[in-house]
Every structure is written in structure tokens, then in C-alpha cells.
Amino acid sequence: MSYNIAVDGPAGAGKSTIARAVAKRLGIIYVDTGAMYRAIGLHILRQGIDPGDERAVIAGCDNAVITLKYEDGAQVVCLNGENVNACIRTEEVGKVTSQVSALPAVRSRIIALQKELAAREDCIMDGRDIGTCVLPDADVKIYLTASSAVRARRRCDELAARGQTCDLARIQADMEERDYRDMHREANPLRQAEDAVLVDSSDMTPDQVIDRILELCGRQEG
Ligand code: DC
């Protein structure tokens, strides 16, 4: 049986940074499920499909094959064989992704891939519905969050570091809109699993969050 850690939480809570570091410390793989949905979002955007048009989105997904591979321990997400890691991190793709990932037909395809991967590999997987739906029997479940002001500030710093311009107020408003959509959609909304441990990183450094998660993993293993 593989060892699985589930990390859920809203955008900008630091899930990917933390999960990547924990994966490295434990020698397991990190699965960024948001990247898989973002690849679908990119596909829809590239085809000029209206993300609000459910039928067109579902039809548009028919010719999208999403695969994951690992290069030097880093996840590479491919869309029809093309490495799209560098194209999926824009706010534009994030917005479309939040809309298309609400569709059950889109989710069921991606979730099947995630379950398969987790059954095969020891991994830490982050997303919105990992503890509640994808890996209900995960060994450790974390719900990682932070205030929306702190999350928007972090996302802005991240974008600025990549040379992208940003408007803090707009990022915070977009983030709150996306949180609302992720938490209120019918298909697998973002929520804390009953057996997940809540970690609020608003006043914590990344190292403190990583140590807390390693401590929880140690407790569960021991
Ligand atoms: O974590 P992220 O910002 O890369 O996620 C992008 C979008 O994908 C986000 O709006 C929610 C959606 N998502 C999801 O519905 N389920 C997941 N397991 C991961 C992401």
C-alpha cells in the first residue's frame, strides 16, 4: 500500500511550496492537482471556448490528454504531449480553470488519473478535494489556509518575482471570487475533511508549516 498525504485549502495558502518541501524531506513525489486542472483550463482558453458554455467545454475536453511525468523529482504536466508547466500559472488561466474545474465531467476524468497515481506511488497531493474525495483514506490529511489578505500579498509577491505586474486589490478580489466558486460548486466543493488537521499559516513561516506537517506525519506513522 502506498503512503498518501492529502493537502487541501484555498488558492495562495502556500500548499504547493509546502507540499513540494515535505515531499523532498520524505523522499516521496509531490502531485500538484491544480496543474492538471490548469492544463485543461489552458486547453479551453487556447481553443477560444467560452468557459461558461458547459457543453462546449465538455466537447472541447475530448481531444485533451493530460499526463504527468517527473523530471529530477519535479512534476511536469503535459497537454497532448506538450510540456505546459510554463503556460499555466497566469491569472487568466487560473480564472478559466476555476470555471471549468467546477464541471463534474471534467473532474471525474482528472480524479481517475489522481487516484491511479496515488495507488501506485507514495505521494503528497494538494488540491481542493483530495482529503474529501480523491483520497478519503489518506494516511495524513491537512487543511492549509490563511487569511485572504495574506494570501493575496503572497500571490502578488510570487507574480512580481516572475516579472509579472500585479494589482494587490484586484488579486485579492479575484482570489475571494475563486474561493467562493471553489467552495460553493456542486461537484466536490473545497471544504475541510472531518478528519483533516487545520493549519492556518497566516502568522507562520514556511519552515514552521513544513515542521508542523512533518510532525503530523511522524505521529501518524509512529
Ligand atoms: O491550486 P490552483 O490555484 O493551481 O488551482 C487552480 C484551480 O483548479 C482552482 O480554481 C481550483 C481548481 N482545482 C480543483 O478544483 N480541484 C483540485 N484538486 C485542484 C484545483
Side-chain angles (χ1 to χ4, degrees):
M1 274 269 280
S2 52
Y3 180 76
N4 297 150
I5 306 170
V7 183
D8 290 298
K15 297 188 299 290
S16 59
T17 309
I18 300 302
R20 197 173 284 116
V22 170
K24 209 168 175 185
R25 293 273 286 273
L26 296 179
I28 61 180
I29 60 168
Y30 162 51
V31 184
D32 170 4
T33 62
M36 302 165 87
Y37 289 102
R38 281 174 181 269
I40 292 278
L42 176 69
H43 182 69
I44 295 304
L45 196 63
R46 278 181 174 175
Q47 291 183 103
I49 294 172
D50 170 5
D53 182 342
E54 183 170 343
R55 253 197 234 171
V57 169
I58 293 169
C61 286
D62 273 349
N63 58 348
V65 178
I66 309 295
T67 44
L68 291 189
K69 58 182 180 178
Y70 287 84
E71 288 178 358
D72 297 327
Q75 172 180 298
V76 174
V77 59
C78 296
L79 169 62
N80 294 329
E82 174 195 351
N83 174 349
V84 290
N85 272 12
C87 319
I88 55 174
R89 297 286 155 206
T90 64
E91 290 300 303
E92 192 188 16
V93 171
K95 220 169 174 169
V96 170
T97 305
S98 174
Q99 285 176 272
V100 301
S101 64
L103 302 176
V106 171
R107 302 198 69 79
S108 57
R109 284 181 46 177
I110 300 283
I111 289 172
L113 284 176
Q114 294 161 356
K115 284 182 187 260
E116 244 175 67
L117 186 58
R120 232 180 24 238
E121 308 269 359
D122 293 341
C123 68
I124 178 165
M125 187 177 280
D126 80 0
R128 303 294 191 286
D129 59 344
I130 310 304
T132 51
C133 169
V134 181
L135 305 175
D137 299 323
D139 299 271
V140 180
K141 294 184 187 180
I142 316 283
Y143 190 84
L144 183 62
T145 190
S147 70
S148 67
V150 168
R151 291 186 286 121
R153 174 81 264 157
R154 288 179 187 159
R155 183 54 57 100
C156 228
D157 291 347
E158 224 176 82
L159 290 172
R162 272 190 239 130
Q164 294 180 32
T165 50
C166 60
D167 169 345
L168 182 62
R170 213 208 49 163
I171 297 239
Q172 185 169 348
D174 279 357
M175 205 167 243
E176 286 172 358
E177 189 188 318
R178 196 189 311 172
D179 289 351
Y180 186 87
R181 217 174 11 236
D182 293 344
M183 289 175 181
H184 292 85
R185 68 182 176 211
E186 261 179 52
N188 316 342
L190 167 65
R191 63 178 179 80
Q192 183 180 342
E194 274 172 22
D195 51 351
V197 177
L198 175 71
V199 178
D200 184 333
S201 72
S202 302
D203 298 314
M204 292 169 85
T205 64
D207 280 343
Q208 286 172 328
V209 179
I210 293 162
D211 286 346
R212 173 80 180 118
I213 295 180
L214 289 171
E215 180 195 10
L216 290 167
C217 294
R219 244 184 234 162
Q220 302 270 335
E221 278 169 328

